[in-house]
């Protein structure tokens, strides 16, 4: 009868599903891992949809639901929820990151760049993980839009902070962009 108990039971089931998913991944069973991940994601979608129904003013539930919608590729559904959840100061910048990524995935590079630049301009801890992610996706957005110089500038800042960021992906992107620039000159 009391939703708090149901919510706590959901939290336990989410942790159990994630633990099983990690065990399959660590065992090297890719097929089982993929299956468990999809099941877990669908369960979490239903949980957060239910939580929003019970707590419509809790913006963090909308953020969590929007994030999971992103993971399932439902970008058009995720964007409005994340935009609404951005009003919560504790998740404002995470929401901006996911909104920017939604726009990126839909190839709306201009909107993605504007969203990410706005978040970066007001985010104070640029060198922490979230700051690096904001910069990385801004660089990817510039790269997707064909703005090579801007992408190189953002990626250059990232490797100054963390040379091995994303396991060297940023360095590889810089090298690829420079080599493609050299071919055009």
């Amino acid at each position: 009868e009391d939703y708090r108990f149901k919510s706590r039971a959901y939290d336990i089931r989410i942790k159990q599903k994630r633990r099983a998913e990690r065990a399959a991944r660590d065992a090297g069973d890719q097929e089982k891992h993929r299956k468990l991940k999809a099941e877990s994601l669908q369960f979490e979608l239903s949980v957060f949809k239910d939580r929003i129904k019970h707590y419509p003013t809790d913006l963090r539930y909308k953020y969590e639901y929007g994030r999971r919608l992103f993971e399932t590729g439902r970008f058009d559904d995720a964007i409005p929820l994340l935009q609404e959840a951005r009003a919560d100061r504790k998740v404002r910048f995470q929401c901006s990151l996911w909104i920017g990524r939604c726009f990126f995935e839909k190839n709306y590079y201009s909107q993605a760049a504007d969203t990410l630049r706005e978040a970066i301009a007001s985010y104070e801890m640029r060198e922490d993980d979230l700051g690096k992610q904001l910069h990385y996706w801004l660089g990817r957005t510039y790269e997707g839009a064909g703005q090579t110089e801007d992408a190189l500038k953002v990626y250059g800042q990232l490797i100054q902070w963390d040379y091995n960021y994303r396991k060297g992906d940023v360095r590889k992107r810089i090298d690829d962009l420079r080599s493609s620039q050299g071919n055009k000159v």
Side-chain angles (χ1 to χ4, degrees), residues 83-102:
Q83 287 173 330
E84 189 178 342
R86 214 174 8 185
D88 184 339
R89 296 175 57 82
K90 292 186 179 181
V91 293
R92 174 178 299 145
F93 297 107
Q94 291 91 336
C95 287
S96 293
L97 172 66
W98 290 103
I99 293 167
R101 289 190 63 188
C102 285

Side-chain angles (χ1 to χ4, degrees), residues 1-170:
E1 298 277 337
D2 191 349
Y3 188 75
R4 289 177 299 163
F5 296 120
K6 186 176 182 180
S7 182
R8 215 170 264 171
Y10 281 155
D11 290 338
I12 291 169
R13 287 191 53 207
I14 288 171
K15 288 179 184 177
Q16 289 172 336
K17 288 181 177 292
R18 287 184 183 169
R19 191 172 21 253
E21 182 186 322
R22 278 193 310 273
R25 183 194 64 213
D26 294 345
D29 189 347
Q30 296 300 320
E31 182 64 30
K32 185 176 180 183
H33 174 254
R34 196 168 32 81
K35 181 181 175 227
L36 289 172
K37 185 175 179 95
E39 287 175 9
S40 177
L41 188 55
Q42 288 305 313
F43 177 72
E44 289 179 32
L45 276 170
S46 67
V47 167
F48 284 103
K49 187 174 187 176
D50 189 45
R51 286 182 178 172
I52 289 171
K53 186 174 76 177
H54 282 85
Y55 302 108
T57 59
D58 192 330
L59 298 177
R60 283 193 217 129
Y61 289 147
K62 291 183 180 187
Y63 161 70
E64 293 293 342
Y65 187 52
R67 229 185 72 218
R68 277 136 182 108
L69 286 170
F70 173 88
E71 291 179 34
T72 60
R74 295 170 50 192
F75 309 119
D76 290 328
D77 296 330
I79 291 170
L81 281 169
L82 291 166
Q83 287 173 330
E84 189 178 342
R86 214 174 8 185
D88 184 339
R89 296 175 57 82
K90 292 186 179 181
V91 293
R92 174 178 299 145
F93 297 107
Q94 291 91 336
C95 287
S96 293
L97 172 66
W98 290 103
I99 293 167
R101 289 190 63 188
C102 285
F103 285 139
F104 174 82
E105 293 296 332
K106 292 184 64 61
N107 297 328
Y108 295 171
Y109 298 123
S110 175
Q111 292 80 6
D114 290 345
T115 301
L116 294 167
R117 275 195 307 262
E118 180 184 310
I120 288 169
S122 55
Y123 192 64
E124 294 176 2
M125 299 177 289
R126 296 174 189 238
E127 294 181 38
D128 74 350
D129 186 54
L130 181 58
K132 290 175 188 175
Q133 286 183 57
L134 288 165
H135 280 82
Y136 176 77
W137 286 103
L138 179 61
R140 291 284 309 269
T141 299
Y142 285 145
E143 187 178 342
Q147 298 172 330
T148 305
E149 287 300 319
D150 292 329
L152 285 170
K153 188 175 178 183
V154 173
Y155 289 152
Q157 180 64 62
L158 268 172
I159 65 168
Q160 286 178 352
W161 291 333
D162 185 353
Y163 189 69
N164 290 318
Y165 186 66
R166 290 204 164 229
K167 299 178 183 172
D169 178 56
V170 175

